[in-house]
Amino acid sequence: QSALTQPRSVSGSPGQSVTISCTGTSNDVGGGSYVSWYQQHPGKAPKLIIYDVVKRPSGVPDRFSAFKSGNTASLTISGLQADDEADYYCCSYGARYTWVLGGGTKLTVL
Amino acid sequence: QVQLLQSGAEVQKPGTSVKVSCKASGYTFINYGIIWMRQAPGQELEWMGWITPYNGYTNYAQKLQGRITMTTDTSTSTAYMELRSLTPDDTAVYYCAAAFCFSATCSSIKTYFEHWGQGTLLTVSS
């Protein structure tokens, strides 16, 4: 059982938007600006797509956005593309040098 | 550019140990802390622990305490993760990743992982 709760799967058609939620507690997600999101294609290492709750690394399209409200963080992918089909993981820094992860959400582009 | 190159796939028998390496290049080794994560087949990512390369400070996931040891060799810019008393449940892909430290002691860090190794598949089977 993962510390952070994500939906197991979401789906959308090309061009549509989907939102993936990530629910934790005041000790992790709700405790600061330490939420990050990772995209993982099959057989590949995770790739950072969001950090510090809302920021995008250079090279990540602005179709990827995120926010947080209370103990729940959310990732929105707009203008869905076929290559967005992947697993998405939220991650939160907790206590000193510890991290907790969500169980992952499989995004299917219909 | 920052690169993390992990050692190759391993097959180990139950009860034995494995040591996976993660060689860093493209940056000053002590400028980044190293974490290890693993992913069992078809399962989610699991955080395993952290190490500060400068002073070897570690923090391990509670469920792995007593079975895991993380070390670094600053002379070769390499991090190591040793897991002992292996069981089939340890079969997974193991990843190292790096988090930027604002000082050598990593007293203040970026809490996310921009750089990842390619993964090392460990199979535990008799």
Side-chain angles (χ1 to χ4, degrees):
Chain A
Q1 183 177 351
S2 302
L4 306 180
T5 300
Q6 297 181 233
R8 293 187 68 97
S9 65
V10 297
S11 62
S13 299
Q16 290 186 331
S17 296
V18 295
T19 296
I20 300 170
S21 61
C22 168
T23 301
T25 71
S26 58
N27 292 323
D28 37 66
V29 173
S33 300
Y34 304 130
V35 177
S36 53
W37 290 87
Y38 300 86
Q39 176 192 62
Q40 186 181 34
H41 286 108
K44 300 294 187 181
K47 172 189 173 184
L48 178 70
I49 56 171
I50 294 288
Y51 66 97
D52 292 351
V53 180
V54 298
K55 299 177 182 178
R56 280 188 315 275
S58 62
V60 174
D62 59 7
R63 300 185 298 104
F64 293 85
S65 63
F67 70 97
K68 187 187 78 165
S69 178
N71 296 336
T72 298
S74 298
L75 171 72
T76 296
I77 309 170
S78 58
L80 274 177
Q81 300 179 359
D83 190 53
D84 297 334
E85 186 160 295
D87 293 326
Y88 292 83
Y89 292 90
C90 61
C91 179
S92 178
Y93 185 63
R96 189 172 170 82
Y97 304 117
T98 64
W99 282 262
V100 291
L101 291 148
T105 298
K106 180 177 180 59
L107 168 62
T108 301
V109 180
L110 301 170
Chain B
Q1 71 280 22
V2 174
Q3 286 191 321
L4 300 174
L5 184 62
Q6 298 183 223
S7 48
E10 299 255 9
V11 179
Q12 298 292 341
K13 294 189 183 303
T16 63
S17 301
V18 70
K19 194 170 187 177
V20 181
S21 67
C22 170
K23 183 171 176 59
S25 61
Y27 70 94
T28 301
F29 188 55
I30 61 172
N31 284 356
Y32 284 78
I34 298 289
I35 61 103
W36 290 86
M37 290 202 195
R38 68 179 179 178
Q39 187 171 37
Q43 300 301 309
E44 68 269 26
L45 291 165
E46 176 188 7
W47 174 78
M48 301 176 70
W50 158 280
I51 184 165
T52 302
Y54 175 74
N55 57 18
Y57 172 84
T58 55
N59 190 39
Y60 303 134
Q62 191 170 9
K63 69 175 288 188
L64 297 173
Q65 291 273 2
R67 285 209 301 137
I68 189 170
T69 300
M70 294 180 185
T71 56
T72 56
D73 182 345
T74 55
S75 69
T76 60
S77 299
T78 303
Y80 299 91
M81 187 284 300
E82 181 181 32
L83 194 60
R84 300 177 292 278
S85 302
L86 294 171
T87 74
D89 287 344
D90 295 314
T91 294
V93 176
Y94 288 74
Y95 294 101
C96 61
F100 181 77
C101 296
F102 290 98
S103 67
T105 60
C106 296
S107 57
S108 178
I109 63 173
K110 293 185 179 180
T111 60
Y112 49 88
F113 312 108
E114 298 175 85
H115 309 291
W116 292 73
Q118 81 278 20
T120 297
L121 174 62
L122 168 64
T123 302
V124 182
S125 174
S126 55

